[in-house]
Amino acid sequence: ISHQQFSSCVSTILPSISSMIRTFVLNGNWETIISRRLFSILFETRLCFLCPNLQKLILRWFTCDRVMTLLMDNLGDCEHLTELHI
């Protein structure tokens, strides 16, 4: 999809369907190409608030340090999370 479509999905569609999301894939490469607003939504929001019923999280293309930061800062209180794929 185009960057504009991706931006629309993250800022408009994702929040409107967030309670229905069970599996989420997060790509570390996105950090360098997205706007500050999208970065805030995807990488600074606690996942339990972004996707309260998240069961499976897939992390792709992250450095070890970045994965550790995400795990410590963004995954707390994800009560339904049962699978983590790195």
Side-chain angles (χ1 to χ4, degrees):
I1 64 174
S2 70
H3 188 270
Q4 183 178 2
Q5 290 169 320
F6 179 77
S7 178
S8 177
C9 285
V10 171
S11 60
T12 306
I13 297 171
L14 181 62
S16 69
I17 64 166
S18 64
S19 66
M20 295 180 276
I21 295 173
R22 302 295 184 264
T23 300
F24 195 71
V25 178
L26 197 54
N27 188 320
N29 290 331
W30 294 343
E31 289 184 303
T32 60
I33 61 170
I34 59 176
S35 69
R36 178 71 189 133
R37 181 175 53 87
L38 297 181
F39 181 90
S40 177
I41 293 169
L42 291 173
F43 295 99
E44 293 178 343
T45 304
R46 293 181 66 86
L47 285 173
C48 61
F49 298 136
L50 182 63
C51 305
N53 295 307
L54 184 66
Q55 296 172 353
K56 180 178 179 180
L57 177 63
I58 302 168
L59 301 175
R60 298 279 186 235
W61 300 106
F62 284 93
T63 64
C64 290
D65 290 339
R66 188 63 178 119
V67 166
M68 292 306 295
T69 300
L70 279 171
L71 293 177
M72 290 190 290
D73 295 345
N74 294 19
L75 283 184
D77 303 325
C78 290
E79 65 184 71
H80 302 287
L81 186 65
T82 58
E83 291 184 55
L84 176 62
H85 295 258
I86 302 173

